[in-house]
């Protein structure tokens, strides 16, 4: 009897050693340093010439005020939206791009003087992977414009920068990207009534939440048309990316409370999306900086990312580095030799193309990569000087495994990474007290997804 007990104990020890050695040798890491050919092609195809043609056409509608004429074929917001839809249908022909109006009637409100039909033009590129096609990334620009008086629906309001620039970028992205295949779905939106209170974007975002749509990220491009500051300086080497931390609500949600309780206020889903966007944007658009601004928007201003933030989605805003307020929301006029108005002569088409390329690189990498891992937890049941993370396996069939990333608690971007293989638990020899961790999923082609911040697990 004693002999058999010893041998069974030995056997158990041998088995444990064998399983430990398999666990210690994770599957080979995909090459994540290699640029993706598809993303390089998309970035290269984005054309300043086509963007210029879109901006010229949009400016040519005279005004695109939300309450402007809708009957004319040449002037007003109705003609503008019919042209945007027709153009997207034309360039998307022969691709799976689905173009539709998303319309509703907005009641009277402070910036809407009579019930008004608000129409978004929405082009959807369905994802090609079953496990990822219900994950959506949305990119928008607003095609409505305004003069000095936000209720003035008849004066000239070219809105060349605000926001024909963003609308043109979104149209170009839709036309270029529709020819390629992605795992997740992409939604390209030209929205209306931004200037009247973010009405078009809010309508879509509220519907998305009601349908429980998995919008894993949203970008708005608003005022991305000029590289020239009001003092005449040119800065065409960067774009600002506004990223919210946690919402400024009176009551904290449980999710927000958990973030704040562990010092994770810089690890909100929008900040994780911003990290990914900066990394991929700067990787594929050489010499161009994505300057993340750690606030939801500029003072006194808002944008179409805000309704998405209100619905709990990760959402970011792209805007040029130095705005010239003489060329936004202004009646066309000259005062003391100074020209006012949002005119096409102040727009830099090469600059818009660069910002569009950053969008394209980020959207393509997001839609090719696996989702951010779910239910990521950091084990805190014992006092230890290493850190063990656990998570749920990703649903995508092409997931090769996971990476744990980390950074100092005062650092903005990831500083370290460890490939851990296709597992759902791993330990890093770093103290959880001193760094912030994230877990990313990686597919077999080397596409890396957005990181998830762990919540503590006792
Ligand atoms: Zn705007």
């Amino acid at each position: 009897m004693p002999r058999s007990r010893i041998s069974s104990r030995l056997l158990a020890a041998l088995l444990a050693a064998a399983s430990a050695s398999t666990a210690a040798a994770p599957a080979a890491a995909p090459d994540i340093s290699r640029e993706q050919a598809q993303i390089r092609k998309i970035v290269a195809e984005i054309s300043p010439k086509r963007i210029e043609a879109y901006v010229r056409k949009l400016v040519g509608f005279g005004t695109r005020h939300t309450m402007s004429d809708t009957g004319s074929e040449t002037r007003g917001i109705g003609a503008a939206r019919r042209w945007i839809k027709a153009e997207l249908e034309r360039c998307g022909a022969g691709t799976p791009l689905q173009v539709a109006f998303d319309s509703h009637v907005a009641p009277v409100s402070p910036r809407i003087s009579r019930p008004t039909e608000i129409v978004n033009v929405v082009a959807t590129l369905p994802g090609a992977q079953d496990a990822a096609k219900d994950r959506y990334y949305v990119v928008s620009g607003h095609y409505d414009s305004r003069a000095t008086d936000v209720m003035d629906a008849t004066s000239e309001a070219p809105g060349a920068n605000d926001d024909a620039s963003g609308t043109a970028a979104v149209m170009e992205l839709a036309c270029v990207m529709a020819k390629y295949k992605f795992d997740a779905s992409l939604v390209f939106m030209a929205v209306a009534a931004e200037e009247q209170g973010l009405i078009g974007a809010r309508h879509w975002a509220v519907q998305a939440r009601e349908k429980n749509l998995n919008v894993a990220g949203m970008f708005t491009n608003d005022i991305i048309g000029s590289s020239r500051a009001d003092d005449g300086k040119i800065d065409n080497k960067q774009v600002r990316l506004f990223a919210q931390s946690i919402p400024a609500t009176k009551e904290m949600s449980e999710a927000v409370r958990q973030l704040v309780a562990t010092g994770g206020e810089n690890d909100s889903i929008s900040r994780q999306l911003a990290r990914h966007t900066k990394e991929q944007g700067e990787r594929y658009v050489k010499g161009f900086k994505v300057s993340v601004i750690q606030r939801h928007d500029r003072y006194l201003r808002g944008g179409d990312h805000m309704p998405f933030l209100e619905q709990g989605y990760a959402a970011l805003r792209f805007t040029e580095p130095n705005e010239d307020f003489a060329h936004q929301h202004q009646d066309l006029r000259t005062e003391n030799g100074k020209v006012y108005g949002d005119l096409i002569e102040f727009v830099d088409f090469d600059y818009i193309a660069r910002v569009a390329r950053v969008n394209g690189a980020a959207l393509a990498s997001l839609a090719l990569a696996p989702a951010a891992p779910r239910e990521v937890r950091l084990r805190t049941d014992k006092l230890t000087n290493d850190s063990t993370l656990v998570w749920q396996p990703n649903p995508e069939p092409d997931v090769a495994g996971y990476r744990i990333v980390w950074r100092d608690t005062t650092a903005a971007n990831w500083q370290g990474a460890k490939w851990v293989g296709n597992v759902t638990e791993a330990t890093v020899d770093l103290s959880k007290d001193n760094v912030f961790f994230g877990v990313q999923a990686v597919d077999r082609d080397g596409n890396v997804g957005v990181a998830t911040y762990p919540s503590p697990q006792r």
Side-chain angles (χ1 to χ4, degrees):
M1 286 303 270
R3 238 170 64 193
S4 88
R5 218 167 32 228
I6 288 164
S7 70
S8 73
R9 220 189 293 163
L10 249 175
L11 187 64
L14 279 170
L15 280 172
S19 82
S21 77
T22 26
D31 181 6
I32 62 164
S33 65
R34 189 172 45 88
E35 287 187 3
Q36 300 293 332
Q38 177 168 335
I39 302 180
R40 269 219 304 260
K41 279 193 220 159
I42 288 165
V43 166
E45 279 178 40
I46 286 171
S47 152
K49 280 263 174 300
R50 275 193 302 261
I51 287 171
E52 175 174 355
Y54 295 144
V55 174
R56 285 199 186 282
K57 183 71 186 185
L58 287 163
V59 166
F61 293 109
T63 175
R64 305 184 307 278
H65 189 278
T66 295
M67 288 178 288
S68 63
D69 181 28
T70 56
S72 165
E73 279 310 314
T74 54
R75 187 177 174 85
I77 194 162
R81 67 193 173 219
R82 288 190 291 276
W83 171 75
I84 295 168
K85 181 165 180 273
E87 191 62 24
L88 289 171
E89 283 166 345
R90 189 194 58 74
C91 78
T95 77
L97 194 70
Q98 301 161 359
V99 186
F101 282 147
D102 164 44
S103 164
H104 82 289
V105 176
V108 172
S109 64
R111 290 185 170 197
I112 294 285
S113 58
R114 54 176 163 78
T116 302
E117 190 184 15
I118 310 291
V119 184
N120 302 322
V121 189
V122 182
T124 305
L125 185 65
Q129 187 188 80
D130 279 344
K133 67 180 193 309
D134 293 332
R135 173 161 44 98
Y136 291 84
Y137 298 97
V138 178
V139 59
S140 82
H142 71 86
Y143 71 94
D144 63 311
S145 67
R146 61 170 285 188
T148 300
D149 174 1
V150 72
M151 306 304 278
D152 176 355
T154 54
S155 294
E156 291 300 303
N161 191 357
D162 186 10
D163 184 32
S165 67
T167 304
V170 167
M171 293 175 71
E172 177 68 358
L173 286 163
C175 293
V176 169
M177 295 179 83
K179 293 185 238 110
Y180 294 90
K181 252 185 162 177
F182 302 92
D183 293 351
S185 296
L186 291 165
V187 179
F188 307 89
M189 274 202 292
V191 309
E194 192 272 355
E195 305 291 7
Q196 311 311 117
L198 317 176
I199 299 170
R202 180 167 290 116
H203 177 72
W204 200 92
V206 167
Q207 280 187 313
R209 180 51 78 196
E210 281 169 0
K211 287 184 277 191
N212 205 16
L213 217 61
N214 175 14
V215 178
M218 185 271 182
F219 303 146
T220 188
N221 288 271
D222 196 353
I223 311 177
I224 57 161
S226 170
S227 52
R228 194 187 144 102
D230 54 2
D231 64 1
K233 280 204 199 87
I234 303 284
D235 181 356
N236 56 8
K237 298 274 192 291
Q238 62 167 322
V239 64
R240 288 182 291 173
L241 183 61
F242 288 87
Q244 187 186 56
S245 161
I246 54 174
T249 50
K250 277 195 178 141
E251 302 287 328
M252 262 187 200
S253 69
E254 181 53 26
V256 168
R257 198 198 61 75
Q258 280 204 4
L259 268 184
V260 174
T262 54
E265 57 271 15
N266 196 11
D267 285 78
S268 66
I269 52 173
S270 293
R271 292 275 167 86
Q272 302 292 17
L273 183 66
R275 268 177 206 114
H276 180 95
T277 302
K278 177 181 175 64
E279 195 177 295
Q280 298 300 324
E282 292 179 353
R283 180 181 189 193
Y284 288 97
V285 189
K286 306 281 187 233
F288 195 69
K289 185 179 174 196
V290 178
S291 302
V292 174
I293 310 282
Q294 296 192 340
R295 51 167 54 109
H296 76 283
D297 208 331
R298 302 100 77 226
Y299 284 100
L300 291 173
R301 308 295 290 270
D304 288 324
H305 58 315
M306 285 161 57
F308 285 79
L309 291 169
E310 286 161 13
Q311 297 304 320
Y313 293 127
L316 306 172
R317 174 190 185 125
F318 284 104
T319 296
E320 65 198 29
N322 304 291
E323 291 169 81
D324 186 338
F325 302 109
H327 305 309
Q328 293 178 16
H329 304 182
Q330 295 282 357
D331 289 341
L332 305 190
R333 65 194 191 278
T334 303
E335 273 176 20
N336 306 318
K338 187 174 168 65
V339 176
Y340 288 85
D342 191 351
L343 295 159
I344 199 159
E345 65 206 70
F346 303 111
V347 168
D348 175 343
F349 307 107
D350 286 317
Y351 181 77
I352 300 175
R354 270 175 228 168
V355 179
R357 288 181 190 124
V358 168
N359 277 262
L363 289 166
S365 72
L366 288 164
L368 289 169
R374 290 169 305 125
E375 294 176 49
V376 180
R377 308 258 188 267
L378 183 60
R379 287 233 163 114
T380 56
D381 48 344
K382 291 192 293 267
L383 292 173
T384 58
N385 283 316
D386 56 16
S387 307
T388 298
L389 292 122
V390 295
W391 56 91
Q392 289 296 310
N394 265 57
E396 300 87 354
D398 57 340
V399 166
Y402 301 85
R403 269 189 357 144
I404 294 179
V405 288
W406 59 85
R407 63 181 205 278
D408 292 338
T409 60
T410 51
N413 301 309
W414 301 121
Q415 297 168 315
K418 183 188 180 189
W419 167 255
V420 296
N422 199 1
V423 295
T424 55
E425 171 166 351
T427 299
V428 179
D429 191 18
L430 280 169
S431 168
K432 53 194 157 296
D433 301 324
N434 303 342
V435 297
F436 288 132
F437 285 111
V439 180
Q440 301 170 325
V442 185
D443 76 7
R444 287 195 290 264
D445 296 327
N447 293 297
V448 181
V450 174
T452 303
Y453 182 76
S455 51
Q457 181 176 62
R458 287 209 184 80

